[in-house]
Amino acid sequence: MSRTESVARTNGTKASKAAKPNKVGAAAEWADDRLGLATLAKKNLRKVFPDHWSFMLGEIALWSFIVLLLTGVFLTLWFRPSMVEVVYDGSYSQLRGIKMSEAYASSLHLSFDVRGGLLMRQMHHWAAMVFIAAMMVHLLRVFFTGAFRKPRELNWVIGSLLLLLGTLEGFTGYSLPDDLLSGTGIRAADGFMKSMPVVGTYMSFFLFGGEFPGDSIIPRLYTIHVLLIPGILLALIGAHMLLLVYHKHTQWPGPGRTEQNVVGYPMLPVYMAKAGGFFFVVFGVLGLMGALLTINPVWRFGPYNPAEVTAGSQPDWYMGWPDGALRIMPNWETHLWNNWTLSWNVFLPIIVLPGLMFTIVMMLPFLEQWITGDKREHHLLERPRNAPSRTGLMVALMTFYAILWMAGGNDILAIKLKLSINQITYFNRAAVFIGPVIAFFITRRWCISLQRADNDKLLHGLESGVIMRDAQGGYTEKHIPLPVDKAYTLTARARDEVYVPDSEADENGVNAPGARLNKLRSRFSRLWYGDNIQKPTKAELEEGHHHAELEEAHDAPLEGHAADGHQFDGRHDIEDEHLSRQHD
Amino acid sequence: MRLITSLIRRTVGRLSAGRRSRLAAPLVLLLGLLITGGMYAALSPASATKAADEDQVAKGRALFLVGCASCHGKNAEGITTVKGGQYGPPLVGVGAAAVDFQVGTGRMPLAQPGDQALRKAPVYDQDEIEALSAFVASLGPGPAIPEKSEYDYSKVSNEEMVRGGEFFRTNCTACHNFAGAGGALPRGRFAPSLNGVSAKHMYEAMLTGPQQMPVFSDQVLTPEDKLQIISYLKKNEATPAYGGFTLGSLGPVSEGLFAWLVGIGVLVGFAVWIAANPARSTRKKPTA
Ligand code: HEM
């Protein structure tokens, strides 16, 4: 039904008259006359969003951030960021009469004596865990599909910053309740800071306002947690979304989808309905988790006491990987002169490694761009198999991460899998180096094989599983030609161009400027692209089609004499076909 | 106590009246010894006073020879392997409490040598356990099986229970975890979960320090401290999980697992579902 038709039909026979002005409508009109929002909105509300489940991963992060803001504001109404010592006299009898900081007492108060307080605490914490996890899977989606390429590099950088800040925000939040785990975490952070040569001690004294623990760390972390980082997060999320709208969404290649357009649903109403619905789904799932699953049962840990520690002291999962690095790091220290200790065992895994990894992640788009020399704009996504080295690189990074994760949970793994914690450590020490390399090569090979399979489909069609026997007694398998739109989608990708430096030297034998770097670059580019399978050329495709025709011709005489079952070879209408011998 | 000292003083006073007596000094000494000995007999742990029932010891020895001697030796002197390791350590002086704990929790008789003797269904019934304990106790003095009054936590006040929590967090959580859910130790060993362990066995565990666990003697944790710890643990067992499913009370690792599997898993499932359902229009297809 065309647009005009539908208008005509719904108009009916009577002349239309303006609807009775209702109050809301009138108010909206009043506002619009002054703000001119409607025109602005119309343009933006007609923005188009393509539909694919993986495009909603970022939304999980966005909606859980909203849940964090809502529940976090609730928590601030009762939480007291103070380290003043008080005697607990609330409902939880196991701690009644104990001296503790006001922060911890108010967390207990929130948990037991504020209606809905425990639910809010648990929702807040689950939302934090899901928020960062969602950012990470979103990052993976963006990387694996090549959505980070020009012109979206900057949004990748913003995204990485969001991940970093989210992690810091989570850590500061985890430290607020001032229970045994919080305190153990802050104590560890103090040690990490002090492992930095020269500046470490000064930084620690600066942060804690003197010797650890002092009495200002909780109020300071509180300001950072509820004001500073959320503010920056909000600003960055805003910039992230603006850039998204400005660049428009990427899309998968397919018939009708090009580098110049975006095919999908308009922002209003379809996309809004879906996204809005999704917000309630996220809210609902986090609500259920908060209601049913215990998280951070602060009352069981007891107040922080530097003399105590508990088995299972771990950070939240997003800090688990540096913790793992710390756990498998050999105990290296250097003693300079007499009273100078360089604690490599802490400094390397906790300060250097995360900084390095974060820089690498942030620089990935630029790294790839430099290697491939690809400066074109890309709005169509690439399937992970069509960028085998890129895919392999990320899988290698994921493997690295996963192994450090395992190392971070080594004690839990040991008791749950009945393993020796020592063996887990030895294994991880080796695996953290070997694992990523193996993962890289397996993934790359796997992608290349998938590319081959795609080319086979393009050139020979789909395997039908029907085996034909001809008069000579030879056997062939019938192939079904690939539907045109599928074939289009498979071929809608550019050929990889290995970077070749223009010329190494001019006619006088003088090296071109930067020649050495270019040579390195072309070597990387060859490694990056070298083994990829390119899509078939036009000639190859024609050859393939020709082959299919021959196959058809070859099969033609068998037509009608076909053995029972050949009617199901995919080339015939099978509406009324039966096997001639019915099985009963 | 005051009574006794005044008694001594009075006796000594009377004796010193006949100061010349050459018997005075030895008499005082003898009396002193008698009193100390009597006091020791009256106030020392039950094991020393409870006249070991000869029958029970004999029964225990018989059971021991069948079930335990292969590892611990016929006289519980221990058996050393060729390499200098031990099939079973000597049990002289480990006391009845150790036997009651080890056999009562099913750890002994050890099923197979391994990193750690594991808890399992007890092989012996209560009579036999008592007989075995009596036999081992007869070999040398050691901690006795605690009296019921020592581990009966029903009369512990809330304040004392809270104190028990402090002791627990200071002495035990490093190995057994904040919720007593257990934790890993080096080389495949572990501190087991404390949930569901009987009060008597808790007391004996502290008293005898099985395997990797340190001994918490009465000098380190007084009997009252021990009782308070037990009452804290029992109170936790009786407390509902306020936050919902506890996820094993293992700390952030299991929480992270749930955030990924349940949180991200379910939400990505919903995303796939939403994207797979194209926008539907409620308008009917035109019939024309
Ligand atoms: C701007 C909004 C936010 C506010 C106002 C806020 C406020 C708070 C407050 C008052 C607490 C202490 C609650 C308690 O007693 O347990 C807290 C804890 C926490 N916050 Fe936030 N927060 C916000 C955003 C975030 C974000 C974005 C994250 C995660 C990345 C986060 C992660 C946490 C965590 C992990 C805790 C510890 C909760 C617990 O132990 O139960 N918060 N937050």
Side-chain angles (χ1 to χ4, degrees):
Chain A
M1 185 160 59
S2 74
R3 181 109 193 126
T4 42
E5 207 183 336
S6 84
V7 170
R9 271 168 203 276
T10 47
N11 272 354
T13 46
K14 284 193 202 119
S16 60
K17 55 182 185 238
K20 235 204 210 146
N22 70 18
K23 283 195 180 123
V24 181
E29 221 176 285
W30 182 90
D32 189 45
D33 286 345
R34 278 144 197 92
L35 301 171
L37 282 176
T39 18
L40 192 81
K42 210 176 280 164
K43 180 153 166 269
N44 284 311
L45 293 181
R46 297 197 57 82
K47 276 256 151 22
V48 160
F49 284 86
D51 224 13
H52 188 267
W53 66 268
S54 69
F55 301 163
M56 301 179 79
L57 297 175
E59 253 172 64
I60 302 181
L62 182 63
W63 300 141
S64 27
F65 180 68
I66 304 287
V67 174
L68 276 171
L69 289 179
L70 295 175
T71 53
V73 168
F74 181 96
L75 295 179
T76 55
L77 302 182
W78 282 277
F79 181 75
R80 297 227 186 93
S82 140
M83 295 173 89
V84 171
E85 201 170 73
V86 295
V87 174
Y88 179 68
D89 64 349
S91 307
Y92 185 63
S93 42
Q94 276 96 317
L95 294 174
R96 201 175 302 136
I98 287 193
K99 287 192 194 140
M100 55 181 66
S101 70
E102 213 177 351
Y104 185 56
S106 69
S107 297
L108 293 176
H109 181 69
L110 253 170
S111 305
F112 293 113
D113 299 300
V114 173
R115 199 171 296 256
L118 182 55
L119 176 67
M120 287 296 149
R121 271 198 57 236
Q122 301 206 129
M123 270 181 84
H124 190 72
H125 207 135
W126 280 122
M129 309 273 265
V130 168
F131 173 54
I132 303 176
M135 282 198 279
M136 255 173 79
V137 282
H138 173 60
L139 176 146
L140 292 179
R141 191 289 282 180
V142 168
F143 193 77
F144 279 133
T145 59
F148 59 88
R149 290 171 298 171
K150 194 180 169 188
R152 294 181 179 77
E153 307 99 319
L154 208 58
N155 233 6
W156 172 273
V157 172
I158 293 180
S160 325
L161 284 173
L162 280 169
L163 185 61
L164 178 73
L165 283 170
T167 306
L168 289 177
E169 175 74 350
F171 180 79
T172 52
Y174 177 96
S175 307
L176 288 180
D178 202 23
D179 56 286
L180 185 54
L181 271 190
S182 293
T184 308
I186 300 183
R187 181 45 149 170
D190 174 49
F192 303 156
M193 246 182 293
K194 285 180 178 157
S195 78
M196 284 188 263
V198 188
V199 293
T201 321
Y202 295 98
M203 285 180 62
S204 162
F205 271 67
F206 175 68
L207 183 70
F208 288 89
E211 184 71 79
F212 171 91
D215 53 10
S216 34
I217 185 68
I218 298 281
R220 286 182 183 183
L221 288 179
Y222 184 71
T223 311
I224 297 176
H225 182 80
V226 303
L227 192 73
L228 185 65
I229 302 185
I232 306 178
L233 275 176
L234 265 175
L236 284 178
I237 290 176
H240 200 71
M241 307 312 287
L242 275 179
L243 275 178
L244 169 73
V245 169
Y246 175 71
H247 288 140
K248 304 192 184 60
H249 209 290
T250 51
Q251 60 184 344
W252 289 106
R257 303 182 188 169
T258 68
E259 293 279 9
Q260 277 76 41
N261 67 4
V262 189
V263 178
Y265 293 110
M267 176 99 164
L268 256 188
V270 183
Y271 190 76
M272 254 336 196
K274 283 193 172 200
F278 199 42
F279 169 67
F280 289 107
V281 169
V282 173
F283 199 103
V285 169
L286 291 175
L288 276 177
M289 291 178 81
L292 298 179
L293 307 177
T294 308
I295 188 165
N296 201 14
V298 287
W299 58 93
R300 302 221 62 178
F301 302 133
Y304 177 56
N305 176 342
E308 296 171 1
V309 68
T310 167
S313 291
Q314 254 105 1
D316 271 352
W317 71 261
Y318 40 84
M319 303 280 276
W321 70 275
D323 186 35
L326 187 68
R327 286 176 188 223
I328 60 174
M329 181 75 189
N331 195 14
W332 292 342
E333 279 182 4
T334 309
H335 297 272
L336 293 178
W337 302 291
N338 279 331
N339 49 1
W340 262 65
T341 308
L342 286 177
S343 298
W344 302 114
N345 49 356
V346 178
F347 183 60
L348 289 182
I350 282 284
I351 307 290
V352 175
L353 180 75
L356 187 73
M357 288 301 286
F358 177 73
T359 315
I360 291 179
V361 166
M362 203 164 71
M363 297 311 288
L364 279 172
F366 307 100
L367 201 74
E368 197 200 65
Q369 217 169 66
W370 181 77
I371 292 177
T372 61
D374 182 355
K375 296 272 188 284
R376 290 164 298 174
E377 286 209 354
H378 294 279
H379 301 284
L380 286 180
L381 298 173
E382 260 181 327
R383 296 168 86 197
R385 68 182 60 173
N386 287 331
S389 298
R390 175 200 296 155
T391 308
L393 176 65
M394 187 45 93
V395 174
L397 288 175
M398 285 164 73
T399 311
F400 180 75
Y401 192 98
I403 288 169
L404 290 182
W405 236 2
M406 261 165 58
N410 56 0
D411 53 335
I412 307 294
L413 284 182
I415 47 171
K416 286 294 143 191
L417 304 180
K418 308 218 182 306
L419 296 170
S420 155
I421 202 166
N422 305 60
Q423 281 156 11
I424 297 179
T425 300
Y426 301 144
F427 171 81
N428 282 334
R429 275 181 186 165
V432 78
F433 293 107
I434 305 169
V437 178
I438 296 178
F440 176 80
F441 285 108
I442 290 182
T443 312
R444 213 172 97 103
R445 274 291 136 199
W446 194 329
C447 289
I448 290 172
S449 299
L450 286 172
Q451 285 189 312
R452 281 216 180 88
D454 278 351
N455 274 8
D456 278 351
K457 266 189 225 157
L458 281 170
L459 293 175
H460 306 303
L462 300 165
E463 292 174 359
S464 67
V466 176
I467 307 294
M468 304 287 286
R469 195 176 71 182
D470 62 20
Q472 283 78 39
Y475 288 94
T476 45
E477 183 181 6
K478 275 204 165 184
H479 283 88
I480 305 166
L482 204 61
V484 182
D485 53 344
K486 281 245 174 66
Y488 176 90
T489 309
L490 282 186
T491 49
R493 65 181 177 106
R495 270 162 220 291
D496 302 323
E497 290 162 28
V498 176
Y499 171 81
V500 209
D502 297 339
S503 78
E504 284 185 20
D506 61 16
E507 57 274 21
N508 300 326
V510 177
N511 275 352
R516 194 178 272 154
L517 203 62
N518 281 345
K519 220 162 135 192
L520 185 71
R521 181 174 174 183
S522 86
R523 183 169 307 148
F524 270 128
S525 178
R526 244 193 332 271
L527 285 175
W528 195 257
Y529 280 148
D531 298 331
N532 292 7
I533 306 292
Q534 303 304 330
K535 69 180 178 187
T537 58
K538 197 160 168 230
E540 281 167 340
L541 271 176
E542 273 162 9
E543 157 87 36
H545 291 157
H546 183 58
H547 184 85
E549 277 157 25
L550 284 183
E551 193 182 298
E552 190 122 20
H554 171 268
D555 293 346
L558 305 175
E559 210 60 49
H561 310 285
D564 201 15
H566 280 194
Q567 59 268 49
F568 299 108
D569 63 1
R571 290 192 185 147
H572 300 84
D573 192 10
I574 52 164
E575 194 101 337
D576 295 314
E577 287 285 357
H578 301 285
L579 288 174
S580 54
R581 195 138 51 83
Q582 296 287 326
H583 296 274
D584 41 19
Chain B
M1 204 65 203
R2 185 163 306 154
L3 192 92
I4 297 169
T5 37
S6 66
L7 192 82
I8 295 176
R9 215 175 286 142
R10 239 184 294 148
T11 325
V12 172
R14 210 169 291 155
L15 278 172
S16 55
R19 192 173 293 257
R20 313 286 135 180
S21 169
R22 273 143 83 230
L23 281 177
L27 260 177
V28 170
L29 196 69
L30 191 69
L31 199 74
L33 281 174
L34 266 175
I35 289 171
T36 349
M39 269 173 58
Y40 181 75
L43 302 175
S44 71
S47 64
T49 50
K50 202 194 274 169
D53 182 347
E54 287 301 323
D55 279 357
Q56 260 210 328
V57 171
K59 185 181 167 202
R61 172 177 288 122
L63 286 168
F64 192 88
L65 287 175
V66 177
C68 324
S70 57
C71 297
H72 288 289
K74 286 203 184 100
N75 297 307
E77 72 280 18
I79 296 183
T80 327
T81 58
V82 187
K83 281 191 205 152
Q86 251 166 0
Y87 281 122
L91 298 182
V92 179
V94 300
V99 178
D100 192 60
F101 173 80
Q102 297 282 351
V103 183
T105 60
R107 287 181 165 80
M108 290 294 146
L110 192 65
Q112 74 221 41
D115 284 335
Q116 189 163 334
L118 298 177
R119 193 189 176 93
K120 57 185 189 298
V123 175
Y124 295 93
D125 64 26
Q126 195 51 42
D127 279 349
E128 292 168 328
I129 295 175
E130 274 164 24
L132 281 166
S133 309
F135 167 64
V136 171
S138 74
L139 301 172
I145 299 171
E147 295 295 330
K148 179 142 194 340
S149 60
E150 291 181 84
Y151 54 83
D152 178 14
Y153 54 90
S154 58
K155 289 190 196 62
V156 176
S157 71
N158 194 74
E159 201 184 333
E160 289 169 328
M161 181 270 294
V162 170
R163 232 166 70 85
E166 298 266 63
F167 284 129
F168 179 72
R169 285 189 294 276
T170 315
N171 294 294
C172 320
T173 48
C175 295
H176 286 286
N177 137 318
F178 58 89
L185 296 174
R187 313 213 173 275
R189 305 210 163 118
F190 63 95
S193 161
L194 302 182
N195 295 320
V197 177
S198 75
K200 182 173 79 164
H201 289 149
M202 285 185 181
Y203 198 101
E204 290 170 344
M206 287 185 263
L207 205 58
T208 64
Q211 302 187 46
Q212 303 296 300
M213 178 162 156
V215 174
F216 293 92
S217 69
D218 286 352
Q219 283 76 45
V220 177
L221 287 176
T222 65
E224 295 81 60
D225 299 343
K226 290 194 175 82
L227 181 59
Q228 289 167 2
I229 292 181
I230 292 171
S231 86
Y232 174 74
L233 288 169
K234 289 294 170 189
K235 171 82 183 175
N236 278 346
E237 268 178 33
T239 307
Y242 293 116
F245 297 108
T246 59
L247 318 182
S249 291
L250 292 172
V253 173
S254 56
E255 292 166 2
L257 192 71
F258 272 78
W260 278 90
L261 294 186
V262 177
I264 293 295
V266 169
L267 287 173
V268 168
F270 268 110
V272 172
W273 176 70
I274 290 177
N277 283 280
R280 274 193 221 104
S281 149
T282 45
R283 251 180 270 154
K284 297 243 167 61
K285 265 191 190 165
T287 38

